[in-house]
Amino acid sequence: MIALSCGIALASTMMLTALLGLWVAEKRRVEARDYIADLASSVAPAIRAADSRSIHEIATALVNTSVIRKLEITSRTGLLELIVRDENLTRRQERSLLAYAQPVDFTRQAGGTGQLSFYFADPTFWSTWILRGICLFAAVALALLVWRAPPALADSAFKRELLEGRVRRRRRRAKLNRFSRSFALSERKSLPATTAFGELFESESEMVVLISVTGQIVDASHGWLTAGGYRREKVLNVHMTEFIADPDRRMVADRLERMRSSGLSQAGTLKYLRADGSCIDIWFSAVPVSTPDGDNFILAVIRELPEISGSADAHAPLLTDPLTGLLNRMGFERALDRLLASPGRDVICVLVDFDRFKTIVDHHGFRTGEEVLRGFVKRLTPALDEMTAAARLGGDEFAFVLAGPDAKARAEALASAIQDAIYLPFIVKTASITTNVSTGIACAPDHATDGTDLLRLATIAVSAQKNAGRHGTLWFEPEMFANARRRAETEAHLQRGIEENLFEPHFQPIISFAGGATIGFEALIRINHPEKGVIMPGEFIAIAEETEQIVPAGRQFFAKTLAGFRQISRALRNDALYLAVNLSPVQLTPDMIDFMAEKLDAFGIDPARLTVEITEAVFLEDSERIRASLQKLRLMGCRLALDDFGTGYSSLSYLSRLQVDVIKIDQSFTRNLTDHDAAVANRSRRLIEGIAAISLNMGCQMVAEGVENAEQARQVHAIGAQYGQGYLYSRPLSLSATIAKLSSG
């Protein structure tokens, strides 16, 4: 009873103390706000009379103080909008800032009335939350104690229960101590399972073992189990030395102890004991690893050494790829060098790389990807003669080397056989998987005389084929060097644009044919490079999508686009304008849609004003990810537009399922309406009439792109397009140029 009374008194004291602290914290918060109000009143006259440059300097000076963390200055005309923030301010910190707004009348360049918004740190933020927590805890504790008091007073056995509870706790503690000691002595009774290493242990080609720090096997790959003839359940929790032949067991135990004490990796050769009692020689490399949960293990990667085992041949040692039975990279390089060492004959290197193989692995799993590679080799094997060295260089990359007077003709035939091998889908269990490959060919001595250079040139040819649209074969040409250099430069520009915030929107108006009014703007991405000037999207979009740099670049671009669109809407005093942005299939992810929703909310823009333009390329990647992303856009209230309609993989079933709101006529069709060749003009007119019929039947609006003259505008309007976009009305302009043009009328 004494403890119960003390608990009630302590909880009451804690609550009263916390309430007093909250009152003091609120008083300090009011004092801080009063200080900011005085500061705002003192700087408002200076900002009112300053020009734009001076306003920026004043704002920067205020934010550089230790009090103001962020300052926003806006005019109701939309011509002045300035946000200056502390460079060390994080997004989480920004949410906890207090705000104070001060109206101001601008007398210089901005004109009109506006507002100064000061954001400053809450001096009692953490103490307030702590005090609230203490207050809540004390209230709950007090309620429980008061609720428990009556039965405790009525129970004569209360004191006895307390004593018995103390005895039970002591017994449990002793039992736990005994368990801990027994666990430390023997770990084989219960070892942790881990999935931190992905599907590595599902591989049937790699021999990998995960070992505990005391030597027990935690997991083993299918390849390791198959090589030894073991079943998984028979090896788990068994000490690693049980699978090593007697002469090497002591060495393995010493190496494990050395890893525990020093943390250094170990490597060497030893005899692996199979389930049937036979031995094979293996090479191993063991390294200490840790899971994200902080568990420590030893990861051993193992390779068979058939030369030492006495079963080696010219095609089997460390030179063989265990998945396909072909040569590995080391074996291929040796074969290539051996053929190049004989002068006076052509040596052809054929390099094959699967297109979008990562998508197969992502959708169907690592083991399914391995089965596709095996199936490819099985289909291609009949086309390989004894004079052709075939290799899997790693991943989804294959290489072949041919030599002799007819090597070029055989290489062409092989390239054709490669395309035939992937023509039909691969059936893995219940999945039907369609894929393509890109092939590059280089020849010695025409292109190179060294094996390394020949392989590098074939790689350049493969990259050129991928850039040209994938799924095909290219022979190396010297101009590919320049293309490869330009690609490297473009990738560097993209990376710099991401790091230095160089991606910017240019806005092009969309006009109503009926009244000539501007009903919206399409935002088009540009790189504003400090040295090279404005870089157009045609130079970098394809590479950005292939390297997935489009993801961070697109986020940067979208945020700037919304900021600019808000200024344009204010300048036109029109909240009914809509904004159109393009999203590639790479960007159509739920994370990107969440980011867009967050930014729309931050800038106060209704999602119904956003139209997301997609191309027919999304039909090629009709994945669950894309469908989920489009559904999210729909639920947000955004509209969908199908861009460049009629140039790709049109499908009425897709249009129906995606519920497209807008169809955009490709600019090539619009321009060809006034072509000097009457046949071309008539064909374009019929195509647009067909698109108009589809749009009408699907209940979609129609926008004609590439309108360059009044005659084109008249014809597309007569056919059925409601809106137009093109140079007749305006080129895409930067934000400042767009606002200047709107201001000039």
Side-chain angles (χ1 to χ4, degrees):
M1 286 306 303
I2 296 176
L4 188 63
S5 302
C6 291
I8 293 175
L10 179 60
S12 301
T13 303
M14 288 176 62
M15 179 177 289
L16 292 174
T17 304
L19 290 173
L20 178 62
L22 289 172
W23 178 79
V24 173
E26 181 61 27
K27 186 176 180 182
R28 289 189 59 197
R29 191 181 293 110
V30 171
E31 290 174 353
R33 190 181 296 274
D34 291 341
Y35 172 78
I36 297 299
D38 293 339
L39 179 63
S41 299
S42 64
V43 301
I47 291 177
R48 182 189 311 122
D51 55 19
S52 298
R53 182 175 180 181
S54 299
I55 290 174
H56 187 276
E57 292 175 353
I58 294 171
T60 303
L62 287 170
V63 172
N64 286 335
T65 66
S66 60
V67 179
I68 307 300
R69 304 299 304 278
K70 176 182 172 183
L71 179 61
E72 292 184 0
I73 304 175
T74 58
S75 66
R76 293 183 180 175
T77 62
L79 297 179
L80 176 63
E81 181 168 5
L82 178 66
I83 300 177
V84 180
R85 68 181 70 213
D86 187 340
E87 61 182 8
N88 296 321
L89 181 64
T90 65
R91 184 173 182 83
R92 172 177 285 185
Q93 292 172 338
E94 187 172 346
R95 293 197 194 101
S96 64
L97 295 179
L98 298 177
Y100 176 80
Q102 169 78 39
V104 63
D105 294 320
F106 296 99
T107 59
R108 293 292 297 271
Q109 296 180 7
T113 60
Q115 180 174 279
L116 311 179
S117 298
F118 295 79
Y119 296 85
F120 57 97
D122 183 354
T124 63
F125 179 79
W126 291 112
S127 61
T128 298
W129 279 105
I130 292 172
L131 289 170
R132 287 175 180 171
I134 293 173
C135 188
L136 179 61
F137 173 81
V140 173
L142 185 61
L144 290 174
L145 289 169
V146 171
W147 171 75
R148 179 61 179 161
L153 290 171
D155 189 359
S156 59
F158 180 74
K159 187 174 182 179
R160 185 175 66 253
E161 289 179 3
L162 289 178
L163 292 174
E164 290 176 354
R166 186 178 302 172
V167 172
R168 285 195 299 270
R169 286 195 296 273
R170 286 177 178 173
R171 289 176 179 172
R172 281 199 302 268
R173 190 178 299 114
K175 186 176 180 180
L176 286 172
N177 289 337
R178 288 196 301 271
F179 175 77
S180 299
R181 286 193 296 271
S182 65
F183 182 82
L185 291 174
S186 177
E187 193 180 343
R188 70 178 62 191
K189 294 181 181 178
S190 176
L191 287 171
T194 177
T195 58
F197 302 94
E199 295 182 310
L200 178 63
F201 292 95
E202 297 296 320
S203 174
E204 294 184 1
S205 60
E206 300 295 337
M207 297 174 65
V208 185
V209 184
L210 189 67
I211 309 167
S212 74
V213 292
T214 55
Q216 282 79 22
I217 292 181
V218 177
D219 204 350
S221 69
H222 287 297
W224 187 87
L225 295 169
T226 302
Y230 294 106
R231 295 169 58 187
R232 186 182 298 274
E233 61 270 22
K234 296 295 184 181
V235 303
L236 295 183
N237 303 329
V238 179
H239 201 278
M240 183 64 192
T241 54
E242 297 295 320
F243 305 96
I244 307 301
D246 286 333
D248 295 328
R249 285 185 179 179
R250 182 67 260 170
M251 182 267 290
V252 171
D254 291 343
R255 298 260 182 153
L256 289 172
E257 180 59 32
R258 198 177 306 168
M259 290 191 70
R260 281 195 295 269
S261 60
S262 66
L264 298 177
S265 60
Q266 303 290 321
T269 60
L270 50 81
K271 290 188 178 294
Y272 176 43
L273 186 62
R274 286 178 165 148
D276 60 5
S278 63
C279 295
I280 59 172
D281 295 283
I282 61 171
W283 174 87
F284 75 93
S285 175
V287 295
V289 294
S290 299
T291 68
D293 297 328
D295 297 321
N296 297 316
F297 300 94
I298 296 169
L299 185 67
V301 179
I302 297 167
R303 287 289 174 88
E304 183 179 352
L305 298 175
E307 303 112 321
I308 302 176
S309 301
S311 60
D313 57 54
H315 200 80
L318 284 170
L319 312 178
T320 304
D321 171 51
L323 176 67
T324 61
L326 304 179
L327 293 172
N328 60 17
R329 178 177 286 273
M330 184 186 299
F332 180 77
E333 289 174 351
R334 290 188 184 182
L336 186 58
D337 290 340
R338 186 171 62 252
L339 291 173
L340 288 171
S342 301
R345 58 176 178 172
D346 290 337
V347 177
I348 309 294
C349 179
V350 180
L351 191 68
V352 178
D353 192 51
F354 276 70
D355 298 333
R356 299 186 178 94
F357 189 76
K358 181 177 181 294
T359 304
I360 296 175
V361 175
D362 289 344
H363 289 179
H364 302 283
F366 182 76
R367 296 186 66 183
T368 298
E370 288 186 332
E371 290 302 320
V372 170
L373 298 180
R374 280 181 178 151
F376 169 71
V377 172
K378 184 177 180 180
R379 291 180 183 180
L380 188 61
T381 298
L384 302 176
D385 55 43
E386 295 181 355
M387 302 300 295
T388 301
R392 175 181 173 233
L393 302 185
D396 60 332
E397 191 176 41
F398 292 83
F400 307 87
V401 60
L402 310 90
D406 60 344
K408 291 183 178 179
R410 288 164 54 212
E412 289 282 5
L414 177 60
S416 177
I418 289 168
Q419 297 299 328
D420 292 341
I422 52 89
Y423 178 74
L424 295 175
F426 293 91
I427 307 301
V428 181
K429 295 182 180 179
T430 59
S432 176
I433 300 168
T434 302
T435 185
N436 296 315
V437 296
S438 295
T439 306
I441 307 176
C443 175
D446 295 352
H447 302 141
T449 57
D450 176 77
T452 302
D453 289 341
L454 193 64
L455 188 57
R456 180 169 59 90
L457 299 184
T459 303
I460 291 175
V462 167
S463 298
Q465 177 59 47
K466 287 183 177 291
N467 296 337
R470 306 175 187 270
H471 186 42
T473 302
L474 276 182
W475 285 75
F476 173 79
E477 297 290 346
E479 57 266 24
M480 291 179 183
F481 268 128
N483 296 335
R485 185 167 55 251
R486 282 195 297 270
R487 178 186 174 86
E489 290 176 354
T490 301
E491 289 185 15
H493 296 331
L494 286 166
Q495 189 59 38
R496 183 173 180 182
I498 293 168
E499 293 173 354
E500 299 183 13
N501 203 30
L502 302 180
F503 290 94
E504 293 185 355
H506 279 214
F507 296 90
Q508 187 174 36
I510 301 170
I511 308 299
S512 170
F513 287 133
T518 300
I519 54 98
F521 289 85
E522 180 179 1
L524 302 161
I525 193 170
R526 306 284 191 268
I527 299 178
N528 190 10
H529 197 280
E531 287 85 35
K532 301 184 72 67
V534 176
I535 302 178
M536 303 298 285
E539 299 182 37
F540 63 82
I541 284 294
I543 296 175
E545 292 178 354
E546 183 180 337
T547 60
E548 297 189 1
Q549 289 173 301
I550 192 67
V551 175
R555 292 187 173 219
Q556 185 185 123
F557 165 76
F558 186 72
K560 287 187 177 181
T561 295
L562 292 185
F565 180 64
R566 185 171 65 175
Q567 292 189 46
I568 292 172
S569 297
R570 289 175 177 175
L572 288 176
R573 294 183 175 85
N574 186 349
D575 290 336
L577 293 173
Y578 79 84
L579 172 68
V581 296
N582 291 272
L583 287 187
S584 71
V586 179
Q587 293 173 282
L588 278 171
T589 65
D591 286 345
M592 180 61 181
I593 308 308
D594 290 341
F595 172 83
M596 294 168 64
E598 179 184 335
K599 289 301 176 184
L600 286 166
D601 181 64
F603 285 97
I605 297 175
D606 186 352
R609 298 176 65 191
L610 178 66
T611 297
V612 176
E613 297 186 2
I614 57 176
T615 64
E616 293 166 290
V618 300
F619 299 160
L620 290 177
E621 299 187 26
D622 183 32
S623 65
E624 183 61 34
R625 167 181 62 83
I626 289 180
R627 288 194 292 271
S629 302
L630 295 174
Q631 182 64 20
K632 269 195 169 187
L633 286 171
R634 275 286 176 200
L635 294 175
M636 283 167 53
C638 301
R639 300 197 308 165
L640 291 179
L642 191 57
D643 197 12
D644 301 336
F645 186 77
T647 61
Y649 307 87
S650 306
S651 169
L652 292 180
S653 63
Y654 280 117
L655 287 178
S656 175
R657 194 167 71 210
L658 291 177
Q659 297 178 319
V660 174
D661 303 287
V662 179
I663 289 179
K664 302 192 76 174
I665 302 171
D666 184 69
Q667 57 185 344
S668 62
F669 300 154
T670 305
R671 290 170 182 166
N672 286 341
L673 284 173
T674 54
D675 193 273
H676 64 277
D677 188 334
V680 173
N682 288 333
R683 190 158 50 246
S684 294
R685 187 176 299 107
R686 287 194 294 271
L687 282 169
I688 296 176
E689 288 171 350
I691 295 172
I694 293 173
S695 300
L696 180 63
N697 291 331
M698 301 300 298
C700 301
Q701 296 178 342
M702 191 162 66
V703 178
E705 295 183 300
V707 179
E708 296 182 347
N709 55 58
E711 177 59 21
Q712 292 171 355
R714 185 192 67 78
Q715 290 196 41
V716 291
H717 185 206
I719 292 172
Q722 297 96 336
Y723 310 107
Q725 177 183 349
Y727 287 179
L728 174 63
Y729 310 108
S730 173
R731 292 176 176 269
L733 301 174
S734 65
L735 174 62
S736 58
T738 299
I739 291 179
K741 183 174 182 178
L742 295 174
S743 301
S744 65

